Amino acid sequence: MHARTANDRLKGILAEGTWMGMLDHWQPVFLSRRLRRDPVGVVVANQPVALFRTSNGEVAAISDVCPHRRLKLSVGKVVGDRLQCKYHGWTFDGCGNGESPAAPKLTACTASYDAREAHGLVWIKSRTSAPPFPEVTAPGFYPICTLEHAVPAPLELAVDNFNEIEHSATVHDTFGYDLDRLSEVKVAFESTDDAVTVTNAGPTKTLNRAFAWLLGIRKGDTFHDHWTTRFSPVYSVFDHWWTSPDGAREAMVRWRLYIFFVPQDDKTTRVFSVTFAKSRYPGPAGGLRLFRWLLRREIDREVKSDVSMLYHMADYGTGIEGLKLSRFDKVLGLTRDRIARIYRGAPAGRVTLV
């Protein structure tokens, strides 16, 4: 009898209910600027969640299923500090405590989550966990944008897509390498028990002439792409910059991107990106305030380029057995192990990659 594949084992883990364990990590679920007076429904780790603001503007998160007759609470309205179900008028506070207007002595409680706002995002986690909050820092950098994109693929494939650089030669316009000189790109991997770091350096691809002029990038410059991925929650911190081939001259702008991967279900992953830039131009913020709109558009376009590839996958299985992997692909196995063990909470020894 053949041993189960990694994909089969992953399905077994999900069947055992570890979706809920994935909510033990602080993770972004919505853009703060989009959560106003009306409640909003989201799905996180296969769990429907209703987000709303109380009368003082604080964010709250409870199950998006009314325990009375199972209507989505997110289609209701906020009354004072409580979310009112549209079906029969039951109301729930931010801790999930419910009251019935028709039967005041009849009460119910639905699931609730710890919620907070930071970096332009709404974050939630389970009430019973105590993980550290992700550190999003960029000293000396200027904030550019916070974006959300839907990726039509499971978590592992979404992470794969962002966490390897070989595809940048054909998919991306700005952050990437020259296809004809891809063999010259140097790649190195470092891993710890809870993190994976990848460093890449090689000949940059040819950028749009005006954009290259703005960034101070010359033909033949070296593009540096370094990132570290962590797994509580699953996110990667990317540092991008360009230098002359000998490293003596650096281009005018550096980027730092925090990209958070949040599974909606087993077919869709939400990607939240928080982007910063640093400029060597004179003036406040190195002149980045003037071009912030352009840099935001560029980040949005580059992320959408990644997303577009995942619409065309022939197979959405997450196993890597049988794939013809290149020298850039070592990261696939490293991240899968840590996603299963740290984020999904697989028991030690239960998930191995063959």
Side-chain angles (χ1 to χ4, degrees), residues 135-281:
E135 185 177 354
V136 179
T137 60
F141 284 73
Y142 180 72
I144 299 300
C145 59
T146 299
L147 302 173
E148 176 187 3
H149 295 83
V151 177
L155 173 64
E156 284 77 4
L157 295 191
V159 175
D160 289 351
N161 182 256
F162 284 82
N163 281 7
E164 58 87 3
I165 202 64
E166 186 177 7
H167 76 279
S168 70
T170 51
V171 174
H172 292 290
D173 293 325
T174 300
F175 303 116
Y177 295 102
D178 185 341
L179 180 61
D180 294 333
R181 301 180 65 186
L182 197 58
S183 61
E184 300 176 38
V185 176
K186 297 178 181 179
V187 57
F189 304 89
E190 294 182 13
S191 61
T192 64
D193 189 59
D194 61 356
V196 175
T197 298
V198 182
T199 60
N200 303 277
T204 184
K205 66 191 315 170
T206 301
L207 279 66
N208 172 278
R209 186 173 298 178
F211 201 61
W213 174 83
L214 176 64
L215 299 180
I217 300 168
R218 302 174 187 176
K219 185 177 181 179
D221 276 357
T222 297
F223 176 54
H224 300 265
D225 176 52
H226 294 187
W227 75 81
T228 296
T229 302
R230 301 189 183 278
F231 302 90
S232 177
V234 182
Y235 69 101
S236 299
V237 186
F238 294 85
D239 281 293
H240 292 153
W241 74 98
W242 293 260
T243 66
S244 57
D246 61 4
R249 171 186 51 80
E250 183 173 331
M252 299 302 290
V253 178
R254 276 188 177 228
W255 308 74
R256 177 169 294 176
L257 294 82
Y258 283 78
I259 297 185
F260 293 84
F261 305 92
V262 182
Q264 177 175 303
D265 49 38
D266 58 1
K267 296 181 179 179
T268 304
T269 302
R270 313 299 295 189
V271 171
F272 296 88
S273 55
V274 182
T275 302
F276 304 87
K278 178 163 54 175
S279 166
R280 296 197 295 112
Y281 284 110

Side-chain angles (χ1 to χ4, degrees), residues 29-104:
V29 296
F30 205 65
L31 296 175
S32 286
R33 65 178 180 268
R34 292 178 55 199
L35 183 61
R36 299 181 180 178
R37 189 58 181 167
D38 293 331
V40 171
V42 297
V43 177
V44 187
N46 227 30
Q47 302 301 312
V49 178
L51 306 174
F52 66 99
R53 292 190 184 278
T54 61
S55 58
N56 63 1
E58 292 185 359
V59 66
I62 64 176
S63 171
D64 199 13
V65 181
C66 181
H68 176 216
R69 295 279 294 277
R70 297 179 186 158
L71 192 77
K72 289 183 178 180
L73 291 173
S74 59
V75 302
K77 64 180 180 180
V78 179
V79 179
D81 291 333
R82 303 177 71 86
L83 179 53
Q84 184 183 76
C85 181
K86 190 174 183 178
Y87 204 178
H88 300 96
W90 284 55
T91 61
F92 299 85
D93 65 16
C95 293
N97 299 308
E99 297 176 351
S100 166

Side-chain angles (χ1 to χ4, degrees), residues 84-131:
Q84 184 183 76
C85 181
K86 190 174 183 178
Y87 204 178
H88 300 96
W90 284 55
T91 61
F92 299 85
D93 65 16
C95 293
N97 299 308
E99 297 176 351
S100 166
K105 292 185 178 181
L106 180 62
T107 60
C109 188
T110 192
S112 67
Y113 303 89
D114 287 330
R116 64 183 293 184
E117 292 183 272
H119 314 297
L121 296 166
V122 176
W123 305 69
I124 70 168
K125 72 168 184 65
S126 67
R127 294 283 193 187
T128 56
S129 63

